[in-house]
Amino acid sequence: MNMAFTAEDEAFQQEVRGFIAANLPPALARREAMGFHNDRATVTAWQTALHRRGWTAPGWPVEFGGTGWSPVQRYIFERECGLANVPEICLIALSMVGPVLCRFGSPELRERFLQPILRGDYWFCQGFSEPEAGSDLASLRTRAVRDGGDWVINGQKIWTTDAHMADFMVCLARTDTEVKPQAGLSMIIVPMDAPGVTVRAIETLDGDHHVNEVFLDNVRVPAGNLIGEPNSGWTQAKFLLEHERTHNAYAGMLCRYVARIPALIEVGRANGLPEAQATEYRRRHARLAIDVEALEWSVLRVLAGQPGPALGAAASALAVRGAQCLLRAADLEMAILGPQVAPAFRPEDGVPMPAFAPPAAAGRTTQYLYWWAATIFGGSDEVQRTIIWNTLYR
Amino acid sequence: MNMAFTAEDEAFQQEVRGFIAANLPPALARREAMGFHNDRATVTAWQTALHRRGWTAPGWPVEFGGTGWSPVQRYIFERECGLANVPEICLIALSMVGPVLCRFGSPELRERFLQPILRGDYWFCQGFSEPEAGSDLASLRTRAVRDGGDWVINGQKIWTTDAHMADFMVCLARTDTEVKPQAGLSMIIVPMDAPGVTVRAIETLDGDHHVNEVFLDNVRVPAGNLIGEPNSGWTQAKFLLEHERTHNAYAGMLCRYVARIPALIEVGRANGLPEAQATEYRRRHARLAIDVEALEWSVLRVLAGQPGPALGAAASALAVRGAQCLLRAADLEMAILGPQVAPAFRPEDGVPMPAFAPPAAAGRTTQYLYWWAATIFGGSDEVQRTIIWNTLYR
Amino acid sequence: MDFTLNSEQTMLRDSARRYLAQAGGASWQGYAELGWLGIAAPEDAGGLGGGMADLAILAEELGRALAPEPFADGAVLATRLVDRLVVGHSREALLGEMIAGTRRLAAALYEPGRRYELAPQTTAVRDGGGYRLSGTKVLVMDGAAADDLLVTAALDGGVALFLVGREQAGVDGRAYRTVDRRDCADFRLDVTVEADRLLSGNALDAVEDALDEARLCLCADMLGGMDSAIEMTAEYLKTRTQFGQKLATFQALQHSVADLFIDADSVRSSLLRAIPAFGGERAARRKAVSACWVNTFETAKRVTGMAVHLHGAIGFTTEYRVGHYLRRAIVSERLFGDVEFHLARYMEG
Amino acid sequence: MDFTLNSEQTMLRDSARRYLAQAGGASWQGYAELGWLGIAAPEDAGGLGGGMADLAILAEELGRALAPEPFADGAVLATRLVDRLVVGHSREALLGEMIAGTRRLAAALYEPGRRYELAPQTTAVRDGGGYRLSGTKVLVMDGAAADDLLVTAALDGGVALFLVGREQAGVDGRAYRTVDRRDCADFRLDVTVEADRLLSGNALDAVEDALDEARLCLCADMLGGMDSAIEMTAEYLKTRTQFGQKLATFQALQHSVADLFIDADSVRSSLLRAIPAFGGERAARRKAVSACWVNTFETAKRVTGMAVHLHGAIGFTTEYRVGHYLRRAIVSERLFGDVEFHLARYMEG
């Protein structure tokens, strides 16, 4: 056992920190710190810098443009990005579609998509969920029927993150209805500007636009857009969902919260927070910090593949605890700022900022609301608990 | 709506308080305050005083010796008993068997048992649970077979509270095996000194002796000991279990905790508890007090039969919250006293008291351990949640 | 002790529930027509003279219906302040207009950087025959729609309450919305008012008393919201299929819903315990209100959040109703003192 | 970073688990024969020179097995104190006897009414060629079975550590048992010791360092206990039938068990995070140990308590094993500082 960071790890941490400081546009970091999600245009400069450095895709094999980092280095990178308010760049393209193409895609598909994804030219959305199939992919109804050299796709997707700014959807569709439900699925790349694709925005509780409904009405795509063999979509989808098994722990984001809350308590003190309450909030912060440190080490254990309880169970535990910690952190921030978090802050949509709220107040409430969604991302807490029971105890 | 105590209620409260002050032996109260359960001999003086005053059986119909109190008066009595460290007298005889006999018993059974129960001459234990049937009474295996003028009983009971000091068991036994499981049960009074009755003590985590195994080996009792009609035991058992539906909220006990914790914090302060920790414990005490006040009002609502959510669901909610509050209260007391609660205190069994522990420390840990059992008494929390779902939402 | 609604209360509850179920939110004028603006006003001024129980019954229904108009602030807090502090013949006229919905008043109590402190930094100084008020007021619910503001200001070492026209020169308002889309405003005040606009030179107790009534209304509002969110959740689980089964057949989900009931039922008890405290002495009432606030808002966030969670993705959309209860909970908690504020107040009492 | 046990560690874990599964608790002499009393002792004195990881691996197995002998206190705390503070030729002899199990030492650090304060009120004054010690020590784990006590006392403004024979005149012991039936004692001291019994005049840092190792051993002990309690619970649910179904088929119970795993897994991470801190600077180590303590003991009570609960009535009996983990948890939490003590220490760091 050697569970400490090595000197090389620490040098790498300094390198990452220096790179971010030199390349991350301050306006982008400010907006990210408030918790407002960044759209595609605003993150381009950052993705370009990352791509120049070769750091866009830590999860890809080196030969396709991956970084070749050790698990610890990958974690250090995530943590530093969290601490420095680095916004996410297209997660679905880089962390899901890319690895699937590297593993299952034809040379043509790789040739056509991987470099543009790395550069940030192609954004993807993920067409899995449907109105009648949330966590339960076996019930998908979207059909793709072969017609000459094309697939013709009909169906409806929902909760499609970033569909309104994506170039392509990786669409899970039923290509064989004669076999058992899991066996007849395929993954097909659909250009979002193809005729028959309609995107409808869904507003979420945080007042923002992240997710969409996508209607596919006789959408015709070339046969070569199907990834790998027909009817192997189930395997690919499982690979994709498991590829970033520690993502749902939100460790980087949690480190950000833990790091900034002490200063926020001082902001609160300057705005009338009584000392006795500040003491209570410092206590809650310490308790949160302890749990987040444990969570970080859990992430490292999963990344390092520590033997012991099955990895799948540990990853599920991470997802549940990550969401709990996020809600505690965001709730604590709201509590510290008190009445100052009641206003709806949307600096860009014309609602004026209230006179009395410090800049730190913007986005605190909406981010709290958003984290309730973390309790279902990537499988609800209930699904995770069932996985744990089935893996370890059944 | 009139949800305040009336002047009459307040006068009654004073009356109860005065009665307890005048009649409760101080040694008994001290022992009860420590959380050590009192055995039969030690509570006799108190029961005699209660009986003299006519207050032994608040839950019985007046014509059989009940008090005729309003629901609020019954609650006031429970609360004052809790606050004044009044020990429980035989709950099973007074709160369960008595009401069942009043409702279902023959004139002969009433004549024979009710007065001795009121006087404290007859203690009962409840022979329901069996090794293969805990919450699930339909699976009971103990058989009673008619043989001339007797019932002959064979079987095994477990978790039988106070069997070692009871005069009688109210035994649920199968008298008909041809019908569906619930329909073939009867309730039969079994003298504990009958040949074939064997009691084996079970030690519980608090180090005390509350519960027993009881073996029934060809135990012969007269046919008249069967309560009501043969094979009506299921109805009687349900009546009995529901009769004291607010008992599992432990409101009186919780009021006791809330009332005494501030002084315990001062004991802690005198024994090295840092002020910052004391502040945190005061905060926890306040939070507990708020929940206990709510619980008290919930008890009053159930006792008064307030329309609204079905009473059964509200009673189940009470049982769950009562156990949660007890554990919080007892945990808080342990935290306040810190290292002083580590020793096993059994003043009577020869283990000397440690030099350093204040008298208030005795029993704090064992009582905490005991309250974990409150999470299963009268149906586990899980059973209660299922009742709530089925009652209100299914 | 009797927890049964009397016949007027039953009628109030049923008619409100029926009306709100049809009308959705209802407008201020709608409130006036239904008599709800007069419920907190005394009978001698044409009101209904409702007690705390009546206010809570209506507030619970408004919460259930997610009614956007400010009942606790507008119809209770402002009305009670006017009732208690305005003297002379203008009192009945003012209350009459408020009850009719033709004149709206908003209480401007809080100031920047002071959280829930009621001792104002806004000052009032004598100026000719009147007073000059200077200061900033924030988080004035419904401030932009109000005709007049009830403004606290420091005067001669006491806390004075003034009635200030919102459109008067020197009243500089800035309207915005809260996270749950209620209307709100901040005000810079540098304004001279006539002498008769001073309602009281020593208004602090009256403000605290009226606030406590408004606070309990917000607790009742949340209780209605929680009950509705739980019912919606149970219904949703019965309609939604996953993995070939109705969600409602999963025991873990059943138990989660049962836990929400257990929590919300405790809030109902806190509320029913606080209502009779309004008939008793002030210290006990404050304690009971703060206890109710702490229990309500700690619970409300968890219950409404879990209701959202149990709905899955659809719960997070603004098109669907359940998430609005969560938004309302986290904003309401901050309107008249938050959980820690009230826990401290409870412990002082 | 590598979380894999090396081959010695794997052997240590497997052999300990196997031995304890057969032998149940094992005696102090058994510990000695297995080499466990030497694991914390340096190699130059005949010990194994084990690091924090090795100690934790063994402690976890002892916790799993509910071993009653005081490993964290006796084999770790006392050994480390002697290793660090005893100088000269007596050091090796003393350590040798401790490793062999022929001489047992118990640390007497705490005093009545002082909770976890390490600055002693027990005094040492020079008395002829030696020292006179006066004071009271409490909660001395294994005190009655020890040959010698390691006693802290105030001397010349510093914290001195003395080696005091338990049977010496003037050492008045009172043995008792803790709630989880471990042996414990209090001591009134009014005793003169020879000069060479003063091990250090400035022992506070050494005591804190050794305590931190013992603390982490107790955390590991609890982790082993939690893991075992969870496994027992899952197994029990699979065997027990209620309402015509195996308990293990009830989803609510499955999810409860999963929650216990989630909680205990977090404790494992806290432990694995604290172990390498023993290679770094003192302040960071203290923080990491206190973090682990807080997480461990808040979690242990809930996890072992829920394991008892999920067993139903049988879980509450002393005949059955699972409840003993709960008893051990609530006693262990109080041996070297409780949750609030360590949370405060974490926040100071």
Side-chain angles (χ1 to χ4, degrees):
Chain A
M1 284 206 282
N2 169 21
M3 298 168 301
F5 288 103
T6 63
E8 290 74 35
D9 292 334
E10 276 161 21
F12 177 73
Q13 182 181 38
Q14 291 307 319
E15 189 186 354
V16 171
R17 205 169 277 182
F19 174 80
I20 295 172
N23 290 283
L24 183 68
L28 198 59
R30 262 199 307 279
R31 195 180 152 80
E32 169 73 15
M34 288 191 280
F36 297 127
H37 290 254
N38 287 281
D39 64 19
R40 190 166 166 176
T42 61
V43 299
T44 300
W46 168 243
Q47 180 156 7
T48 304
L50 271 180
H51 183 241
R52 215 181 304 120
R53 188 71 178 77
W55 283 1
T56 326
W60 294 16
V62 178
E63 64 268 35
F64 296 115
T67 54
W69 288 336
S70 70
V72 173
Q73 287 179 312
R74 288 186 60 181
Y75 179 69
I76 288 170
F77 185 74
E78 182 188 346
R79 185 172 195 278
E80 292 300 321
C81 286
L83 288 170
N85 297 307
V86 172
E88 225 169 46
I89 50 179
C90 187
L91 179 78
I92 292 159
L94 286 159
S95 298
M96 296 182 167
V97 178
V100 164
L101 288 174
C102 295
R103 173 74 175 272
F104 301 102
S106 63
E108 294 72 27
L109 285 178
R110 291 176 186 160
E111 178 65 31
R112 192 169 141 214
F113 286 105
L114 292 184
Q115 279 305 316
I117 285 176
L118 286 175
R119 280 198 304 271
D121 293 345
Y122 285 178
W123 277 40
F124 272 75
C125 61
Q126 172 189 303
F128 285 16
S129 292
E130 296 185 2
E132 298 302 317
S135 302
D136 177 15
L137 294 183
S139 324
L140 291 181
R141 294 183 183 177
T142 294
R143 292 280 322 263
V145 177
R146 189 63 181 263
D147 182 33
D150 294 337
W151 291 99
V152 179
I153 307 175
N154 279 285
Q156 183 189 348
K157 297 292 177 179
I158 198 167
W159 319 125
T160 319
T161 302
D162 293 351
H164 55 298
M165 45 179 166
D167 305 290
F168 299 93
M169 167 190 280
V170 56
C171 175
L172 204 54
R174 194 161 297 287
T175 42
D176 188 343
T177 55
E178 305 296 305
V179 293
K180 63 175 185 167
Q182 291 93 325
L185 298 171
S186 297
M187 215 180 265
I188 305 174
I189 295 176
V190 178
M192 293 301 284
D193 59 1
V197 177
T198 314
V199 176
R200 189 183 77 82
I202 300 174
E203 187 190 346
T204 45
L205 284 184
D206 59 349
D208 215 335
H209 177 194
H210 315 281
V211 294
N212 305 275
E213 278 184 290
V214 181
F215 301 90
L216 301 154
D217 182 18
N218 282 317
V219 178
R220 188 170 281 273
V221 301
N225 279 22
L226 189 147
I227 301 174
E229 294 301 310
N231 304 324
S232 60
W234 181 259
T235 310
Q236 294 164 9
K238 274 182 57 183
F239 171 83
L240 176 155
L241 291 172
E242 285 178 8
H243 193 76
E244 289 279 299
R245 62 189 336 155
T246 61
H247 180 264
N248 283 328
Y250 298 92
M253 178 64 74
L254 284 166
C255 289
R256 180 190 302 174
Y257 273 114
V258 168
R260 78 184 180 191
I261 285 174
L264 199 68
I265 293 175
E266 294 315 306
V267 171
R269 295 285 294 127
N271 284 278
L273 179 68
E275 183 53 29
Q277 280 192 45
T279 301
E280 163 64 14
Y281 296 148
R282 285 190 197 103
R283 186 181 180 282
R284 261 188 239 175
H285 170 259
R287 196 62 199 78
L288 175 72
I290 288 170
D291 285 348
V292 170
E293 280 178 56
L295 190 86
E296 287 187 78
W297 246 253
S298 294
V299 168
L300 287 164
R301 285 166 57 208
V302 172
L303 288 173
Q306 195 210 6
L311 269 188
S316 290
L318 274 176
V320 175
R321 284 193 82 84
Q324 286 168 347
C325 286
L326 282 172
L327 282 168
R328 275 166 63 194
D331 187 38
L332 178 53
E333 289 202 336
M334 290 198 301
I336 292 164
L337 290 164
Q340 299 156 349
V341 301
F345 298 93
R346 299 295 306 166
E348 73 285 16
D349 69 4
V351 175
M353 293 276 284
F356 72 99
R364 305 283 47 82
T365 318
T366 46
Q367 208 165 16
Y368 171 82
L369 289 166
Y370 184 74
W371 294 134
W372 271 103
T375 65
I376 62 159
F377 286 156
S380 71
D381 289 356
E382 287 78 10
V383 168
Q384 308 294 0
R385 291 191 186 98
T386 295
I387 291 172
I388 292 170
W389 171 267
N390 288 342
T391 311
L392 298 178
Y393 304 112
R394 188 170 61 182
Chain B
M1 283 204 281
N2 169 22
M3 299 167 300
F5 289 103
T6 63
E8 291 74 36
D9 293 333
E10 276 159 24
F12 178 73
Q13 182 181 36
Q14 291 307 321
E15 188 186 353
V16 172
R17 205 170 279 182
F19 173 80
I20 296 172
N23 291 283
L24 182 68
L28 199 59
R30 263 199 305 279
R31 193 180 154 81
E32 169 72 17
M34 288 191 279
F36 297 127
H37 291 254
N38 287 280
D39 64 20
R40 190 166 167 175
T42 61
V43 298
T44 300
W46 169 242
Q47 180 156 4
T48 303
L50 271 180
H51 183 242
R52 214 181 307 122
R53 188 72 178 77
W55 284 0
T56 327
W60 293 16
V62 179
E63 64 266 36
F64 296 114
T67 55
W69 288 337
S70 70
V72 173
Q73 286 179 311
R74 288 186 59 181
Y75 179 70
I76 288 170
F77 185 73
E78 182 188 346
R79 185 174 195 278
E80 291 301 320
C81 287
L83 288 170
N85 298 307
V86 172
E88 224 168 45
I89 50 179
C90 188
L91 179 78
I92 291 159
L94 286 159
S95 298
M96 297 181 166
V97 178
V100 165
L101 287 174
C102 295
R103 172 73 174 273
F104 301 101
S106 63
E108 294 73 27
L109 285 179
R110 291 176 186 159
E111 178 66 30
R112 191 167 143 216
F113 286 106
L114 292 183
Q115 280 305 316
I117 285 176
L118 286 175
R119 279 197 306 272
D121 293 344
Y122 286 178
W123 277 40
F124 271 75
C125 60
Q126 173 191 302
F128 285 16
S129 292
E130 296 184 5
E132 298 302 316
S135 302
D136 177 16
L137 294 182
S139 325
L140 290 181
R141 294 183 183 177
T142 294
R143 292 279 325 262
V145 178
R146 189 63 183 263
D147 181 33
D150 295 335
W151 291 99
V152 179
I153 307 175
N154 279 285
Q156 183 188 351
K157 297 292 176 180
I158 197 168
W159 319 126
T160 319
T161 303
D162 292 352
H164 56 299
M165 45 181 166
D167 305 290
F168 297 93
M169 168 189 280
V170 55
C171 175
L172 204 54
R174 194 162 297 288
T175 40
D176 187 341
T177 56
E178 305 296 305
V179 293
K180 62 175 186 167
Q182 292 92 325
L185 298 172
S186 297
M187 215 179 266
I188 305 173
I189 295 175
V190 179
M192 293 300 285
D193 59 2
V197 176
T198 314
V199 176
R200 190 183 76 84
I202 301 175
E203 188 189 347
T204 45
L205 284 184
D206 59 350
D208 215 334
H209 177 194
H210 314 282
V211 294
N212 305 274
E213 279 183 291
V214 181
F215 301 90
L216 301 154
D217 183 19
N218 283 317
V219 178
R220 188 171 281 274
V221 302
N225 279 22
L226 190 147
I227 302 175
E229 294 301 308
N231 303 324
S232 60
W234 181 258
T235 310
Q236 295 163 6
K238 274 180 59 184
F239 170 83
L240 177 156
L241 291 173
E242 286 178 8
H243 193 77
E244 288 280 297
R245 62 192 332 156
T246 60
H247 180 262
N248 283 328
Y250 298 93
M253 178 64 74
L254 284 165
C255 290
R256 180 190 303 176
Y257 272 114
V258 168
R260 79 185 179 189
I261 285 173
L264 199 68
I265 293 175
E266 294 315 305
V267 171
R269 296 284 294 126
N271 284 279
L273 179 67
E275 183 53 31
Q277 280 192 45
T279 301
E280 162 63 15
Y281 296 147
R282 285 189 198 104
R283 187 180 179 284
R284 260 188 240 176
H285 170 259
R287 196 61 198 79
L288 175 72
I290 288 170
D291 285 349
V292 170
E293 281 178 57
L295 190 87
E296 287 188 76
W297 246 253
S298 294
V299 169
L300 287 165
R301 285 166 57 207
V302 172
L303 288 173
Q306 195 210 9
L311 270 189
S316 290
L318 274 177
V320 174
R321 284 193 82 84
Q324 286 169 348
C325 286
L326 282 172
L327 282 168
R328 277 166 63 195
D331 187 38
L332 178 54
E333 289 202 336
M334 288 198 300
I336 291 164
L337 290 165
Q340 298 155 350
V341 301
F345 297 94
R346 300 295 306 165
E348 73 285 19
D349 71 3
V351 175
M353 293 278 282
F356 72 98
R364 305 283 48 80
T365 318
T366 45
Q367 207 166 18
Y368 171 83
L369 289 165
Y370 184 73
W371 294 135
W372 271 103
T375 65
I376 63 161
F377 285 157
S380 71
D381 290 356
E382 287 78 10
V383 169
Q384 308 294 358
R385 290 191 187 97
T386 295
I387 291 172
I388 292 170
W389 171 268
N390 288 343
T391 310
L392 298 179
Y393 304 113
R394 189 170 62 181
Chain C
M1 197 169 287
D2 175 16
F3 292 93
T4 328
L5 301 191
N6 64 31
S7 61
E8 284 99 28
Q9 290 168 333
T10 306
M11 202 190 308
L12 174 63
R13 185 196 63 191
D14 294 348
S15 66
R17 191 174 298 189
R18 209 165 39 238
Y19 178 83
L20 290 162
Q22 288 161 8
S27 67
W28 195 248
Q29 203 46 51
Y31 282 27
E33 282 159 23
L34 290 155
W36 297 347
L37 299 183
I39 193 167
E43 292 179 82
D44 66 4
L48 298 173
M52 193 62 243
D54 307 299
L55 299 178
I57 288 165
L58 181 54
E60 187 177 337
E61 295 309 319
L62 293 166
R64 182 185 303 275
L66 286 166
E69 294 287 350
F71 176 74
D73 342 55
V76 176
L77 178 56
T79 305
R80 292 297 213 202
L81 280 172
V82 168
D83 177 22
R84 291 205 181 105
L85 296 178
V86 179
V87 288
H89 67 281
S90 66
R91 174 174 173 277
E92 280 179 39
L94 182 51
L95 284 170
E97 288 179 285
M98 291 172 74
I99 294 167
T102 52
R103 191 156 171 197
R104 296 179 72 164
L105 268 60
L109 307 175
Y110 298 121
E111 302 186 352
R114 310 263 294 161
R115 286 176 90 101
Y116 304 109
E117 177 59 56
L118 288 176
Q121 290 191 320
T122 295
T123 57
V125 292
R126 281 182 190 74
D127 181 13
Y131 297 90
R132 181 147 202 92
L133 306 183
S134 309
T136 305
K137 296 289 177 177
V138 300
L139 210 64
V140 181
M141 295 307 287
D142 210 36
D147 300 290
D148 297 273
L149 306 177
L150 290 161
V151 175
T152 48
L155 174 66
D156 301 335
V159 176
L161 190 74
F162 290 90
L163 188 67
V164 179
R166 188 186 51 83
E167 306 229 332
Q168 238 187 302
V171 176
D172 176 17
R174 190 171 202 181
Y176 54 95
R177 301 186 104 184
T178 54
V179 168
D180 61 342
R181 302 299 182 267
R182 281 185 267 182
D183 290 314
C184 196
D186 298 343
F187 291 96
R188 275 286 303 133
L189 300 172
D190 194 9
V191 58
T192 305
V193 298
E194 287 169 32
D196 66 356
R197 290 305 189 102
L198 170 63
L199 306 184
S200 163
N202 188 10
L204 201 53
D205 281 341
V207 169
E208 275 283 12
D209 290 351
L211 267 179
D212 271 350
E213 291 172 285
R215 283 166 174 146
L216 216 60
C217 286
L218 273 194
C219 292
D221 179 295
M222 280 322 308
L223 181 61
M226 281 188 267
D227 271 0
S228 175
I230 298 169
E231 285 159 21
M232 286 181 72
T233 303
E235 286 309 311
Y236 181 77
L237 296 178
K238 283 187 249 184
T239 60
R240 176 87 177 161
T241 302
Q242 285 251 25
F243 306 107
Q245 273 184 274
K246 292 281 180 236
L247 287 177
T249 62
F250 289 101
Q251 193 193 31
L253 303 181
Q254 296 175 357
H255 282 203
S256 288
V257 173
D259 273 332
L260 304 188
F261 167 77
I262 292 169
D263 288 349
D265 195 57
S266 163
V267 169
R268 183 169 298 283
S269 290
S270 284
L271 181 69
L272 292 174
R273 189 248 172 289
I275 287 171
F278 280 79
E281 55 172 24
R282 183 174 276 154
R285 186 206 68 212
R286 287 190 183 182
K287 245 183 117 104
V289 169
S290 284
C292 185
W293 189 278
V294 169
N295 195 10
T296 301
F297 285 103
E298 271 198 0
T299 305
K301 215 158 31 187
R302 184 171 65 243
V303 166
T304 57
M306 278 301 293
V308 168
H309 166 81
L310 290 167
H311 275 79
I314 199 169
F316 297 96
T317 67
T318 52
E319 295 166 29
Y320 198 81
R321 193 176 175 75
V322 73
H324 294 267
Y325 293 110
L326 173 59
R327 295 218 292 213
R328 193 171 175 103
I330 58 181
V331 170
S332 296
E333 180 192 333
R334 284 160 181 92
L335 294 186
F336 303 132
D338 54 19
V339 165
E340 287 301 322
F341 171 91
H342 281 286
L343 188 58
R345 187 172 177 255
Y346 175 85
M347 289 172 74
E348 280 157 20
Chain D
M1 199 168 284
D2 175 17
F3 292 93
T4 330
L5 301 191
N6 64 32
S7 60
E8 284 97 28
Q9 289 169 334
T10 305
M11 202 189 308
L12 174 64
R13 185 196 62 192
D14 293 349
S15 66
R17 191 175 298 188
R18 208 165 40 237
Y19 177 84
L20 290 162
Q22 287 161 9
S27 67
W28 196 249
Q29 204 47 50
Y31 282 27
E33 281 157 24
L34 290 155
W36 295 349
L37 300 183
I39 193 168
E43 292 180 82
D44 67 4
L48 298 173
M52 192 64 241
D54 307 299
L55 299 178
I57 288 165
L58 180 54
E60 187 178 336
E61 295 309 319
L62 293 165
R64 182 186 303 277
L66 287 166
E69 294 288 349
F71 176 75
D73 342 56
V76 176
L77 177 57
T79 306
R80 293 297 214 200
L81 280 171
V82 169
D83 177 22
R84 291 206 179 104
L85 296 178
V86 179
V87 288
H89 66 281
S90 67
R91 174 174 174 276
E92 280 178 40
L94 182 52
L95 283 169
E97 288 178 285
M98 290 172 75
I99 294 167
T102 52
R103 192 156 168 197
R104 296 180 71 164
L105 268 60
L109 307 175
Y110 298 122
E111 301 186 350
R114 310 263 294 159
R115 287 177 90 99
Y116 304 109
E117 178 61 56
L118 289 176
Q121 289 190 321
T122 295
T123 55
V125 292
R126 281 181 190 77
D127 181 13
Y131 296 90
R132 180 145 202 93
L133 305 184
S134 308
T136 305
K137 297 289 178 177
V138 298
L139 209 63
V140 181
M141 295 307 287
D142 208 35
D147 300 290
D148 298 274
L149 307 176
L150 290 160
V151 175
T152 48
L155 175 66
D156 301 335
V159 176
L161 191 74
F162 289 90
L163 188 67
V164 180
R166 188 185 52 82
E167 307 229 331
Q168 236 186 301
V171 176
D172 176 18
R174 188 170 203 181
Y176 54 95
R177 301 186 104 184
T178 54
V179 168
D180 62 342
R181 302 299 182 269
R182 282 186 265 182
D183 290 314
C184 196
D186 300 341
F187 293 95
R188 275 285 305 133
L189 300 172
D190 195 8
V191 59
T192 305
V193 297
E194 286 169 31
D196 65 354
R197 290 307 190 101
L198 170 63
L199 306 185
S200 163
N202 188 9
L204 201 53
D205 282 341
V207 169
E208 274 283 13
D209 290 351
L211 267 179
D212 271 350
E213 291 172 285
R215 283 166 174 147
L216 216 60
C217 286
L218 274 194
C219 292
D221 180 293
M222 279 323 306
L223 180 60
M226 280 188 267
D227 271 0
S228 175
I230 298 170
E231 285 159 21
M232 286 180 72
T233 303
E235 286 309 310
Y236 181 77
L237 296 179
K238 283 187 251 183
T239 60
R240 175 86 178 162
T241 301
Q242 285 251 25
F243 305 107
Q245 273 183 274
K246 292 282 180 233
L247 286 177
T249 62
F250 289 101
Q251 192 192 30
L253 302 181
Q254 295 175 358
H255 282 202
S256 288
V257 172
D259 273 333
L260 304 188
F261 167 77
I262 292 170
D263 288 348
D265 196 58
S266 164
V267 169
R268 183 170 297 284
S269 290
S270 284
L271 182 68
L272 292 173
R273 189 250 174 285
I275 288 171
F278 280 79
E281 56 172 22
R282 184 174 275 153
R285 186 206 67 212
R286 286 190 184 181
K287 243 181 119 101
V289 169
S290 285
C292 185
W293 189 278
V294 169
N295 195 10
T296 300
F297 285 103
E298 270 197 0
T299 304
K301 214 158 30 187
R302 186 172 62 245
V303 166
T304 57
M306 278 301 293
V308 168
H309 166 81
L310 290 167
H311 275 79
I314 199 170
F316 297 96
T317 66
T318 52
E319 296 167 28
Y320 198 80
R321 192 174 175 76
V322 72
H324 294 267
Y325 292 112
L326 172 60
R327 293 217 294 211
R328 193 171 175 103
I330 58 181
V331 171
S332 296
E333 180 191 335
R334 284 161 180 93
L335 295 186
F336 303 132
D338 54 19
V339 165
E340 288 300 322
F341 171 91
H342 280 286
L343 188 59
R345 187 174 179 254
Y346 175 85
M347 290 173 73
E348 280 158 18

